[in-house]
Amino acid sequence: MIRLRGINKTYGTHSGPVRVLRDVDLTIDCGERVGILGRNGAGKSTLIRLISGAEFPTSGQIDRDMSVSWPLAFGGAFQGSLTGLDNYRFICRIYGVDPTDRLQFVYDFSELGIYLNEPVKSYSSGMRARLAFAISMVIEFDCFLIDEIIAVGDARFHEKCHHELFEKRGNRAMIIVSHDSAYIREHCTRAAVLDGGALHHPASMEEAFDFYHEATHRVVAA
């Protein structure tokens, strides 16, 4: 189980403090797929980073009783001067995984070829995302964090990502943040809406979609 209780997050800006998240409560059970809808700038990525542990809340508490991935396809934590393979080995060492066991998978899945032996600082954002996703599939997390549309590259690569995550690991918990209602409808069993920094929990998926659409139109009209 993952439980967020009274989570607040405030960032300092040149114009003063900005409160991005307000008293957020959320519980995710093992095997549950929770979708969090929100328009661009609503704080979805901030929430995902807090759940992953990449950032800390300004106040509130996050309890994790299962292993949690980093946001899938996020390559911002790579050491740029190291090669892709060296980053892979380092991450495996942190999580207690033998890097030799899944090395061929990383080669095959990422499709980076000789570039795995090049420094990550020379990678494009798409190459970083491919490597990050491949490594995420090597570490068998209990809960996967998915920030927006995770797949990069062409339609064939999208299908590879979908198969590895949603089919082969369909029994894992997932938290998916997106502004795309259709994506949440396809992959989730429960939905919440992030609006005005607060996380709203409608009683059903359809009510969540209605609430989200109303909130989006409210912003557009304003």
Side-chain angles (χ1 to χ4, degrees):
M1 176 185 292
I2 300 172
R3 178 174 294 164
L4 285 68
R5 293 182 285 184
I7 297 299
N8 291 278
K9 183 64 178 178
T10 300
Y11 291 103
T13 71
H14 292 299
S15 302
V18 175
R19 192 178 180 189
V20 178
L21 298 176
R22 304 171 180 270
D23 300 316
V24 169
D25 294 321
L26 178 65
T27 299
I28 303 98
D29 292 318
C30 293
E32 189 175 23
R33 294 187 183 183
V34 179
I36 300 176
L37 287 159
R39 60 183 178 81
N40 291 334
K44 302 186 302 297
S45 295
T46 296
L47 182 58
I48 278 287
R49 289 195 298 271
L50 294 178
I51 296 172
S52 73
E55 291 188 32
F56 296 102
T58 303
S59 63
Q61 184 171 340
I62 302 177
D63 299 316
R64 305 174 187 87
D65 294 328
M66 50 186 171
S67 61
V68 182
S69 78
W70 52 83
L72 295 195
F74 173 69
F78 288 140
Q79 170 52 252
S81 61
L82 296 179
T83 68
L85 284 180
D86 286 339
N87 272 281
Y88 162 68
R89 294 188 183 102
F90 179 70
I91 292 170
C92 285
R93 192 174 302 120
I94 291 175
Y95 286 94
V97 174
D98 184 353
T100 59
D101 288 347
R102 301 299 303 279
L103 181 57
Q104 191 60 49
F105 170 84
V106 173
Y107 267 106
D108 295 341
F109 190 89
S110 69
E111 301 178 0
L112 292 175
I114 61 173
Y115 292 103
L116 281 170
N117 292 301
E118 297 297 324
V120 169
K121 63 184 178 183
S122 67
Y123 286 14
S124 67
S125 58
M127 292 167 70
R128 282 175 175 257
R130 284 175 178 244
L131 178 61
F133 194 98
I135 296 175
S136 299
M137 297 298 100
V138 169
I139 314 297
E140 294 293 345
F141 296 105
D142 298 320
C143 179
F144 287 96
L145 305 179
I146 305 168
D147 191 350
E148 297 291 353
I149 305 302
I150 56 173
V152 293
D154 56 23
R156 181 186 55 80
F157 194 80
H158 285 210
E159 182 58 33
K160 285 175 59 175
C161 293
H162 185 279
H163 176 71
E164 282 293 329
L165 183 60
F166 295 113
E167 294 180 23
K168 292 180 67 173
R169 293 163 180 81
N171 63 337
R172 310 297 172 81
M174 297 182 190
I175 304 171
I176 304 175
V177 297
S178 181
H179 64 274
D180 187 341
S181 298
Y183 193 74
I184 295 296
R185 185 189 298 275
E186 179 181 1
H187 296 297
C188 298
T189 56
R190 175 163 64 93
V193 181
L194 193 57
D195 180 51
L199 188 63
H200 303 268
H201 299 273
S204 68
M205 292 278 281
E206 292 307 319
E207 289 181 40
F209 295 141
D210 291 342
F211 184 97
Y212 171 58
H213 292 148
E214 290 172 6
T216 302
H217 292 150
R218 219 171 35 241
V219 171
V220 172

